[in-house]
Amino acid sequence: MYTKLKEEVLKYSKDAFAGKLFAGTSGNLSVFDRENKVMAITPSSVRYETMTVKDIVIVDQDGIKLEGDHKPSSEWKMHLEIFHQLDTVNAVVHTHSPYATSFAVVNKEIPTILIEMVPFLGGDLKVSKYASPGSRELGISVCKVLRNSPASLMQNHGAIAVGEDLSKAYIRAEYIEDAAKIYHHSLQIGKPRTMTEKEIKDWVESWD
Ligand SMILES: [Zn+2]
């Protein structure tokens, strides 16, 4: 059952590995089926190159495994906490992508320095407070930022993006790393200019 959900998780996991958002077996992503109240999530400790649809794990809303040969990602509690707290979110992409994680390590948020940050990341990229990996507390911590923004850096850990579906969460994860990379490079050659509130407002209004 849930083949479509599993195929989607597999496709974006392979994309994330090919796009260097995931490395080794780190990073994880999930989708939540609100009708059936089940989550499809990447397995723990399976390499992305060899991952198949059978490796994707299905758990119920309490984290009880329903399908899959492996354990769910060690961050399954964080993923479920997000789906429980934020009812417009149906997909989560969590990475340890290197530029974004570097800013998370120095606890430095990324101001709105790029036009793409406005539509894709909701503006400034904030840092959520450290909590133990694998804990529900980590989910509670990231939700404090994700309640008002679709993306967050995670102190001493990585980055996280959410969306109403996996395609939206995934492109956000790509833009998190892109913004972090450009901010890093721009800090080397000068003082990055942050977009003004008026510029952001005018641009948002131009979408209508
Ligand atoms: Zn992680």
mmCIF file of all heavy atoms in Angstrom, residues 71-88:
data_model
loop_
_atom_site.group_PDB
_atom_site.id
_atom_site.type_symbol
_atom_site.label_atom_id
_atom_site.label_comp_id
_atom_site.label_asym_id
_atom_site.label_seq_id
_atom_site.Cartn_x
_atom_site.Cartn_y
_atom_site.Cartn_z
ATOM 1 N N LYS A 71 14.192 0.431 9.855
ATOM 2 C CA LYS A 71 13.662 1.396 10.824
ATOM 3 C C LYS A 71 13.424 2.707 10.086
ATOM 4 O O LYS A 71 14.137 3.017 9.129
ATOM 5 C CB LYS A 71 14.720 1.666 11.906
ATOM 6 C CG LYS A 71 14.880 0.579 12.912
ATOM 7 C CD LYS A 71 15.826 1.115 13.974
ATOM 8 C CE LYS A 71 16.309 0.026 14.883
ATOM 9 N NZ LYS A 71 17.492 0.421 15.636
ATOM 10 N N PRO A 72 12.452 3.520 10.554
ATOM 11 C CA PRO A 72 12.312 4.847 9.944
ATOM 12 C C PRO A 72 13.527 5.712 10.300
ATOM 13 O O PRO A 72 14.249 5.393 11.258
ATOM 14 C CB PRO A 72 11.038 5.393 10.584
ATOM 15 C CG PRO A 72 10.895 4.650 11.870
ATOM 16 C CD PRO A 72 11.510 3.293 11.647
ATOM 17 N N SER A 73 13.730 6.787 9.554
ATOM 18 C CA SER A 73 14.783 7.753 9.879
ATOM 19 C C SER A 73 14.793 8.041 11.380
ATOM 20 O O SER A 73 13.732 8.132 12.012
ATOM 21 C CB SER A 73 14.512 9.054 9.126
ATOM 22 O OG SER A 73 15.177 10.116 9.755
ATOM 23 N N SER A 74 15.983 8.227 11.938
ATOM 24 C CA SER A 74 16.088 8.498 13.384
ATOM 25 C C SER A 74 15.386 9.805 13.766
ATOM 26 O O SER A 74 15.133 10.053 14.938
ATOM 27 C CB SER A 74 17.557 8.566 13.799
ATOM 28 O OG SER A 74 18.202 9.574 13.058
ATOM 29 N N GLU A 75 15.049 10.636 12.763
ATOM 30 C CA GLU A 75 14.358 11.902 13.059
ATOM 31 C C GLU A 75 12.839 11.810 12.893
ATOM 32 O O GLU A 75 12.162 12.829 12.744
ATOM 33 C CB GLU A 75 14.903 13.025 12.164
ATOM 34 C CG GLU A 75 16.343 13.419 12.415
ATOM 35 C CD GLU A 75 16.621 14.017 13.789
ATOM 36 O OE1 GLU A 75 15.699 14.081 14.629
ATOM 37 O OE2 GLU A 75 17.779 14.395 14.019
ATOM 38 N N TRP A 76 12.298 10.591 12.926
ATOM 39 C CA TRP A 76 10.852 10.457 12.679
ATOM 40 C C TRP A 76 10.015 11.238 13.693
ATOM 41 O O TRP A 76 8.944 11.746 13.362
ATOM 42 C CB TRP A 76 10.433 8.982 12.632
ATOM 43 C CG TRP A 76 10.593 8.213 13.919
ATOM 44 C CD1 TRP A 76 11.670 7.480 14.312
ATOM 45 C CD2 TRP A 76 9.634 8.096 14.985
ATOM 46 N NE1 TRP A 76 11.462 6.927 15.554
ATOM 47 C CE2 TRP A 76 10.226 7.280 15.988
ATOM 48 C CE3 TRP A 76 8.344 8.598 15.194
ATOM 49 C CZ2 TRP A 76 9.562 6.968 17.194
ATOM 50 C CZ3 TRP A 76 7.679 8.276 16.390
ATOM 51 C CH2 TRP A 76 8.290 7.484 17.356
ATOM 52 N N LYS A 77 10.508 11.378 14.925
ATOM 53 C CA LYS A 77 9.714 12.113 15.933
ATOM 54 C C LYS A 77 9.604 13.597 15.563
ATOM 55 O O LYS A 77 8.561 14.216 15.761
ATOM 56 C CB LYS A 77 10.348 11.984 17.317
ATOM 57 C CG LYS A 77 10.181 10.617 17.925
ATOM 58 C CD LYS A 77 10.822 10.558 19.298
ATOM 59 C CE LYS A 77 10.825 9.138 19.807
ATOM 60 N NZ LYS A 77 11.741 8.969 20.948
ATOM 61 N N MET A 78 10.703 14.155 15.039
ATOM 62 C CA MET A 78 10.682 15.559 14.600
ATOM 63 C C MET A 78 9.671 15.732 13.467
ATOM 64 O O MET A 78 8.862 16.667 13.482
ATOM 65 C CB MET A 78 12.079 15.990 14.142
ATOM 66 C CG MET A 78 12.093 17.367 13.495
ATOM 67 S SD MET A 78 13.735 17.896 12.967
ATOM 68 C CE MET A 78 13.939 16.937 11.450
ATOM 69 N N HIS A 79 9.717 14.822 12.486
ATOM 70 C CA HIS A 79 8.802 14.933 11.343
ATOM 71 C C HIS A 79 7.343 14.872 11.820
ATOM 72 O O HIS A 79 6.519 15.693 11.417
ATOM 73 C CB HIS A 79 9.076 13.804 10.338
ATOM 74 C CG HIS A 79 10.354 13.973 9.567
ATOM 75 N ND1 HIS A 79 10.386 14.268 8.225
ATOM 76 C CD2 HIS A 79 11.646 13.895 9.955
ATOM 77 C CE1 HIS A 79 11.649 14.354 7.815
ATOM 78 N NE2 HIS A 79 12.428 14.114 8.848
ATOM 79 N N LEU A 80 7.023 13.901 12.668
ATOM 80 C CA LEU A 80 5.629 13.779 13.127
ATOM 81 C C LEU A 80 5.200 14.992 13.946
ATOM 82 O O LEU A 80 4.061 15.457 13.828
ATOM 83 C CB LEU A 80 5.453 12.508 13.965
ATOM 84 C CG LEU A 80 5.168 11.213 13.206
ATOM 85 C CD1 LEU A 80 4.922 10.081 14.201
ATOM 86 C CD2 LEU A 80 3.980 11.321 12.248
ATOM 87 N N GLU A 81 6.108 15.512 14.770
ATOM 88 C CA GLU A 81 5.779 16.688 15.577
ATOM 89 C C GLU A 81 5.394 17.863 14.675
ATOM 90 O O GLU A 81 4.446 18.599 14.952
ATOM 91 C CB GLU A 81 6.979 17.064 16.462
ATOM 92 C CG GLU A 81 6.718 18.200 17.432
ATOM 93 C CD GLU A 81 5.646 17.888 18.469
ATOM 94 O OE1 GLU A 81 5.438 16.707 18.805
ATOM 95 O OE2 GLU A 81 5.008 18.858 18.947
ATOM 96 N N ILE A 82 6.131 18.032 13.577
ATOM 97 C CA ILE A 82 5.832 19.110 12.624
ATOM 98 C C ILE A 82 4.437 18.893 12.014
ATOM 99 O O ILE A 82 3.619 19.809 11.968
ATOM 100 C CB ILE A 82 6.910 19.181 11.519
ATOM 101 C CG1 ILE A 82 8.254 19.593 12.119
ATOM 102 C CG2 ILE A 82 6.490 20.148 10.411
ATOM 103 C CD1 ILE A 82 9.448 19.410 11.181
ATOM 104 N N PHE A 83 4.149 17.668 11.584
ATOM 105 C CA PHE A 83 2.829 17.409 10.979
ATOM 106 C C PHE A 83 1.701 17.578 12.001
ATOM 107 O O PHE A 83 0.602 17.995 11.651
ATOM 108 C CB PHE A 83 2.790 16.001 10.361
ATOM 109 C CG PHE A 83 3.742 15.840 9.202
ATOM 110 C CD1 PHE A 83 4.582 14.737 9.121
ATOM 111 C CD2 PHE A 83 3.798 16.790 8.196
ATOM 112 C CE1 PHE A 83 5.462 14.581 8.062
ATOM 113 C CE2 PHE A 83 4.680 16.648 7.121
ATOM 114 C CZ PHE A 83 5.515 15.536 7.056
ATOM 115 N N HIS A 84 1.972 17.267 13.256
ATOM 116 C CA HIS A 84 0.935 17.436 14.276
ATOM 117 C C HIS A 84 0.693 18.909 14.579
ATOM 118 O O HIS A 84 -0.438 19.341 14.759
ATOM 119 C CB HIS A 84 1.332 16.708 15.569
ATOM 120 C CG HIS A 84 1.261 15.220 15.440
ATOM 121 N ND1 HIS A 84 1.984 14.359 16.228
ATOM 122 C CD2 HIS A 84 0.567 14.428 14.590
ATOM 123 C CE1 HIS A 84 1.735 13.110 15.870
ATOM 124 N NE2 HIS A 84 0.881 13.128 14.875
ATOM 125 N N GLN A 85 1.775 19.677 14.627
ATOM 126 C CA GLN A 85 1.633 21.099 15.016
ATOM 127 C C GLN A 85 1.179 21.997 13.871
ATOM 128 O O GLN A 85 0.471 22.970 14.102
ATOM 129 C CB GLN A 85 2.964 21.633 15.548
ATOM 130 C CG GLN A 85 3.271 21.193 16.969
ATOM 131 C CD GLN A 85 4.234 22.164 17.660
ATOM 132 O OE1 GLN A 85 4.245 23.352 17.396
ATOM 133 N NE2 GLN A 85 5.035 21.642 18.560
ATOM 134 N N LEU A 86 1.637 21.697 12.650
ATOM 135 C CA LEU A 86 1.399 22.629 11.537
ATOM 136 C C LEU A 86 0.494 21.958 10.502
ATOM 137 O O LEU A 86 0.958 21.148 9.693
ATOM 138 C CB LEU A 86 2.737 23.046 10.905
ATOM 139 C CG LEU A 86 3.792 23.574 11.887
ATOM 140 C CD1 LEU A 86 5.111 23.825 11.177
ATOM 141 C CD2 LEU A 86 3.317 24.850 12.575
ATOM 142 N N ASP A 87 -0.783 22.291 10.530
ATOM 143 C CA ASP A 87 -1.704 21.488 9.728
ATOM 144 C C ASP A 87 -1.737 21.840 8.244
ATOM 145 O O ASP A 87 -2.422 21.175 7.465
ATOM 146 C CB ASP A 87 -3.104 21.449 10.353
ATOM 147 C CG ASP A 87 -3.667 22.821 10.603
ATOM 148 O OD1 ASP A 87 -3.122 23.784 10.052
ATOM 149 O OD2 ASP A 87 -4.660 22.925 11.356
ATOM 150 N N THR A 88 -0.991 22.862 7.820
ATOM 151 C CA THR A 88 -0.912 23.121 6.366
ATOM 152 C C THR A 88 0.344 22.492 5.774
ATOM 153 O O THR A 88 0.567 22.566 4.567
ATOM 154 C CB THR A 88 -0.897 24.639 6.063
ATOM 155 O OG1 THR A 88 0.214 25.221 6.745
ATOM 156 C CG2 THR A 88 -2.176 25.305 6.495
#
